[in-house]
Amino acid sequence: MRVLVVEDEPTAQRVIKMFLERSGYEPVLFDDGQKAFELASSADSPPLIILDWMLPGMDGPSLCKALRAAKPKIRPYVIMLSSKTGKEDVAAGLDAGADDYVSKPFNIGEMQARLRVACRAIQFQHEIQRQLDDNDRLNQRNNLLSEIISKQREQIALAVAPAPSSEVPDSDAFSHEDVRGALTVSVPELRLQLDGVCPCESVPPLDPVFYGAWNAVMVASTKHWTDLLVIGSGETLGYLFEKSLGRAPVNMVESQSFWAELARVVGLGLIRTAELKGRTGVLPMMSRTFPLGLGPQGNLPPLPAQTQAYELSIAGRQILMTLSAQPEAALTVAPKHLRELDILSEAFPPNFASSIPLFKEGAVMTDRFIEKLICREQDLQEEDTVLRVYRPSPLAKFIQRNS
Ligand code: CA
């Protein structure tokens, strides 16, 4: 972890630098308060600051106050390190906005413990921020969904399910007919016109400036995990948004949420098609939109060889859709063998065991959920607790981790 050290006294600076390096931290040294403040209030600030009281440019307490007033998205954790040891000095330092106060000369063991406290606080703050960001995205998406639903009311009669096919379930998750049927039902749900669907002989090259909406569909009887991608240009996203909702998107998040919603309704359409053949399906509770060239993390990994691609025409726009099936993704595992991003294929505990499930089917396992399930197993000594899950494909994992 990077630590910003603001200290103007060369010997003290050397001691702190050596101490931090030996304790596994990466010190960034400054001897001027004003310059240090510029870094500390930027997005590139180290998450932790060790701050002297008396400094040229801007003193320690003023730097703390200025940092509070600047309200950066994530405020660095500040340990004030000073030779002022009076109780009123400690109080003044903390009141100025420092998170902790250590007197000079510091004790190595104590300082290491205080850095560990700081690391825990920083980690916690980052987790909260991540959850807030997720909530923000979800809120925007929920508002958009209410808008879509209210526009749909008059149109529900348009969506007519295809007649059940007599086809015997085969090893392929979805046939061309299934796909055509699913799209016929689902695209009008977004008040959009499906002009045509055409299977491609092979997957055309993907343009990295285009956007992909991803979701996955799991069909129980075939034990397949199928990744679904709907790909279009930024211009197409905006055009279809406007066509569907009768207004332009206010920002990119809105048009990306709309695109993710398209992937979700197509996924639901595929599940309904599977259900008409007596199969059961699960849609994971996640869909994502991302640029195909994912930026610094690199491009999308190549799609598996058995990927089926379709050219769709929706409201006169060309869209590419791909389905990549990964067979035998269904597993039964004990909580300790769960992995992050596993998807529950049935509620847990199952319906026959409890009327109030802890997790619904389609729930996406996070490290925190897995921990909770392992603790529960230990508490109740339920050694034979097992969960039915789908293990995500490499593509699903890549998208979840990079978008
Ligand atoms: Ca000083």
Side-chain angles (χ1 to χ4, degrees):
M1 181 188 285
R2 291 192 306 149
V3 181
L4 172 57
V5 178
V6 198
E7 171 63 74
D8 60 326
E9 212 275 297
T11 313
Q13 202 185 67
R14 247 191 334 269
V15 170
I16 300 170
K17 176 175 182 278
M18 206 155 42
F19 160 75
L20 285 173
E21 282 170 350
R22 285 189 182 161
S23 309
Y25 296 88
E26 193 188 320
V28 180
L29 306 171
F30 273 81
D31 53 15
D32 179 280
Q34 181 61 41
K35 288 190 185 122
F37 169 71
E38 279 159 28
L39 174 62
S41 55
S42 76
D44 190 39
S45 173
L48 175 55
I49 304 178
I50 295 180
L51 182 62
D52 186 22
W53 187 298
M54 305 281 277
L55 288 163
M58 184 190 263
D59 68 15
S62 307
L63 196 155
C64 279
K65 278 186 199 147
L67 204 52
R68 290 229 167 233
K71 297 201 170 115
K73 190 171 175 192
I74 294 188
R75 193 178 56 81
Y77 186 99
V78 180
I79 300 177
M80 196 170 269
L81 181 61
S82 171
S83 43
K84 291 177 183 277
T85 50
K87 288 205 172 10
E88 48 306 342
D89 296 319
V90 176
L94 294 174
D95 282 343
D99 298 282
D100 199 0
Y101 194 103
V102 178
S103 338
K104 277 181 193 168
F106 61 84
N107 169 284
I108 289 181
E110 182 191 340
M111 192 61 163
Q112 276 168 339
R114 287 186 190 268
L115 288 173
R116 285 194 293 273
V117 172
C119 289
R120 287 200 293 273
I122 290 162
Q123 197 186 3
F124 184 63
Q125 199 193 1
H126 280 247
E127 248 172 60
I128 301 259
Q129 191 57 48
R130 236 193 336 267
Q131 283 173 17
L132 286 175
D133 289 348
D134 277 354
N135 280 351
D136 244 24
R137 262 206 301 273
L138 253 150
N139 268 339
Q140 280 216 37
R141 188 143 165 210
N142 281 344
N143 292 341
L144 188 66
L145 283 186
S146 329
E147 199 177 331
I148 291 172
I149 289 165
S150 71
K151 298 245 174 196
Q152 269 170 5
R153 288 210 180 107
E154 317 103 51
Q155 292 227 179
I156 280 171
L158 263 180
V160 180
S165 139
S166 54
E167 209 178 295
V168 184
D170 50 358
S171 60
D172 287 317
F174 298 103
S175 68
H176 293 336
E177 279 321 300
D178 290 339
V179 172
R180 209 181 299 268
L183 287 164
T184 310
V185 179
S186 52
V187 174
E189 286 190 24
L190 293 176
R191 296 171 24 107
L192 292 171
Q193 161 99 31
L194 177 71
D195 313 316
V197 185
C198 184
C200 310
E201 277 183 16
S202 59
V203 182
L206 305 179
D207 190 331
V209 304
F210 278 24
Y211 287 87
W214 166 88
N215 205 329
V217 177
M218 284 79 89
V219 176
S221 55
T222 63
K223 297 189 176 176
H224 275 65
W225 169 291
T226 303
D227 285 307
L228 163 71
L229 287 177
V230 187
I231 296 163
S233 67
E235 197 269 332
T236 299
L237 265 66
Y239 177 83
L240 293 181
F241 183 106
E242 209 164 332
K243 201 86 187 148
S244 169
L245 288 148
R247 65 171 179 86
V250 293
N251 55 24
M252 203 53 205
V253 176
E254 240 193 15
S255 79
Q256 292 195 7
S257 298
F258 174 77
W259 205 238
E261 184 55 18
L262 176 63
R264 197 185 68 85
V265 296
V266 173
L268 272 178
L270 285 169
I271 284 181
R272 277 185 245 161
T273 310
E275 284 169 354
L276 288 171
K277 292 183 181 170
R279 302 163 173 173
T280 53
V282 179
L283 196 71
M285 292 178 193
M286 52 181 177
S287 54
R288 286 265 196 285
T289 302
F290 58 94
L292 291 182
L294 280 180
Q297 285 94 353
N299 289 323
L300 204 61
L303 297 175
Q306 69 273 30
T307 296
Q308 182 60 56
Y310 296 88
E311 265 173 17
L312 321 181
S313 171
I314 297 181
R317 296 295 156 128
Q318 296 308 304
I319 291 163
L320 182 71
M321 183 175 110
T322 62
L323 290 174
S324 316
Q326 172 187 279
E328 302 302 328
L331 302 172
T332 301
V333 293
K336 63 172 182 286
H337 293 127
L338 279 170
R339 291 190 203 157
E340 205 187 355
L341 301 180
D342 279 350
I343 311 283
L344 294 194
S345 63
E346 63 176 28
F348 181 82
N351 293 332
F352 65 82
S354 161
S355 55
I356 309 158
L358 200 56
F359 296 107
K360 288 187 177 171
E361 74 167 37
V364 183
M365 289 293 107
T366 61
D367 285 342
R368 197 174 287 260
F369 289 168
I370 296 169
E371 234 171 71
K372 197 167 162 182
L373 282 164
I374 293 173
C375 287
R376 188 193 134 101
E377 186 189 21
Q378 285 162 352
D379 287 351
L380 302 179
Q381 284 155 3
E382 292 171 297
E383 272 158 21
D384 51 353
T385 299
V386 288
L387 295 99
R388 289 178 199 286
V389 298
Y390 284 95
R391 188 130 289 172
S393 68
L395 180 70
K397 278 191 260 186
F398 181 84
I399 290 168
Q400 284 288 318
R401 293 202 172 127
N402 291 291
S403 62

